[in-house]
Amino acid sequence: MSHEPHGFALNPEDERLLRGPVPDEALIWAAAAVGSGARVRAVEPLWGGTSSAVHALAVQDGGGSLHELVLRRFVRRDWLAEEPDLAEREATALRIVAGAAVPTPSLVAVDPDGALAGVPALVMSRLPGRIVWHPAEPERFLRALAEMLPAVHATPLPAGVALPDYRPYELKLSRAPAWATHPDIWLRAIEALTGSPPSDERVFIHRDFHPGNVLWEGDRLSGLVDWVNASAGSPWADVGHCRVNIASELGEDAADRFLDLYRTVAGRTDDYHPYWDISAAIGGLDESGDDAPSPADEEFLARAVYRL
């Protein structure tokens, strides 16, 4: 079980699926979303997630102006079999955050069932910036991450808009990974997720908030991307998800500092329940975890379990 930055290691089959050439039908659809006479002038795979194919497009409209866009195609058939509405869900989230005090992509077009693009897909504006995992100034980095979250959570939930409720990712393995040195810790953690979340708050959450989905220009935070998992739930779910990723890359002290900064900027005085760390650390656990030893994840999990 690893929290290695999104998409940094793909097998050859996934490399072809996610980073290979974009079919003509998808490019034609994306260009048409810009307007009559538009043409795709450049296509570049983006280094990123493993759940979908993401490409940067340069599209020239009929008047000669160039539009920097992102095409996201949901190409994993196994994922679509379980969640066929992924494209529409992200489109819904982008519509919700369009007026929020957070720099996010703007929705250009969505093909919910792939009738035009070949697979469910959406086109959105491309934000400037790059992903940073190891900042030169960790304190400034952590503070900027913490300051972004309250703005996300303050985004109103529109009445009548279908947005899934938060739920922990399904556990598909009811034992510790084969490499675990403290199986009892894992079993206690798994048991902790069998109950309901310890908060009934229901606000807009990103649900996949971590440094791999945040863009930077210099020391300025320039965007938050990847909204397909946006949900209604507790703000602490975003905090826990970010903490486990920070701990994996920058260490436990950095994860604790992020929590302190968030509590300050959000004005939270209530206790932070270890459930959120546990959910973020082992949510979605399956047998693939046997082949990905991560002592850092086990240490993070142990600290959470000891606080139960």
Side-chain angles (χ1 to χ4, degrees):
M1 188 178 67
S2 173
H3 294 280
E4 191 170 333
H6 281 10
F8 282 26
L10 294 175
N11 62 44
E13 182 179 352
D14 285 343
E15 186 76 32
R16 288 190 297 271
L17 178 66
L18 301 177
R19 311 288 186 258
V22 179
D24 288 343
E25 62 182 330
L27 295 177
I28 292 170
W29 170 73
V34 173
S36 177
R39 297 287 185 272
V40 175
R41 296 305 186 190
V43 183
E44 177 188 359
L46 292 178
W47 203 29
T50 58
S51 65
S52 59
V54 184
H55 289 76
L57 306 181
V59 179
Q60 187 176 42
D61 64 26
S65 297
L66 207 60
H67 301 258
E68 299 293 334
L69 304 174
V70 172
L71 170 64
R72 181 171 189 173
R73 295 178 300 122
F74 295 93
V75 294
R76 290 192 177 276
R77 300 293 181 181
D78 53 339
W79 286 49
L80 288 172
E82 293 186 12
E83 299 179 280
D85 61 340
L86 290 171
E88 184 55 44
R89 274 168 41 189
E90 183 159 31
T92 297
L94 291 176
R95 294 185 189 106
I96 291 174
V97 297
V102 180
T104 61
S106 298
L107 178 67
V108 176
V110 59
D111 182 9
D113 57 7
L116 299 174
V119 293
L122 66 162
V123 178
M124 65 196 93
S125 61
R126 185 178 183 185
L127 299 179
R130 63 188 182 91
I131 292 171
V132 174
W133 281 95
H134 298 281
E137 298 183 55
E139 176 71 11
R140 179 178 292 183
F141 176 82
L142 295 171
R143 182 176 294 278
L145 290 176
E147 289 175 345
M148 173 174 266
L149 269 185
V152 173
H153 301 152
T155 305
L157 286 170
V161 174
L163 195 69
D165 288 332
Y166 165 84
R167 66 180 188 276
Y169 295 124
E170 181 184 1
L171 284 173
K172 300 179 181 179
L173 192 66
S174 58
R175 59 168 173 79
W179 52 267
T181 58
H182 299 286
D184 57 314
I185 293 294
W186 293 83
L187 293 178
R188 288 182 62 191
I190 290 168
E191 182 180 3
L193 292 192
T194 59
S196 300
S199 170
D200 59 1
E201 285 182 274
R202 195 173 185 274
V203 302
F204 184 76
I205 61 174
H206 184 276
R207 185 62 178 90
D208 195 17
F209 184 81
H210 63 79
N213 284 329
V214 175
L215 302 177
W216 301 81
E217 283 191 301
D219 60 3
R220 182 180 69 86
L221 196 152
S222 60
L224 179 57
V225 300
D226 196 358
W227 290 89
V228 70
N229 293 301
S231 309
S234 171
W236 294 124
D238 277 342
V239 175
H241 196 80
C242 195
R243 272 173 50 78
V244 72
N245 281 273
I246 290 173
S248 179
E249 297 300 316
L250 300 177
E252 297 274 358
D253 289 346
D256 289 344
R257 180 58 179 156
F258 168 74
L259 174 59
D260 289 342
L261 289 167
Y262 170 76
R263 290 173 64 88
T264 297
V265 298
R268 303 290 304 225
T269 58
D270 49 323
D271 291 337
Y272 177 70
H273 198 286
Y275 172 95
W276 304 110
D277 284 354
I278 293 170
S279 176
I282 67 172
L285 180 66
D286 60 25
E287 292 185 356
S288 67
D290 288 338
D291 301 321
S294 178
D297 281 340
E298 187 170 58
E299 180 180 351
F300 181 86
L301 190 64
R303 290 185 61 183
V305 167
Y306 291 148
R307 298 199 309 271
L308 284 172

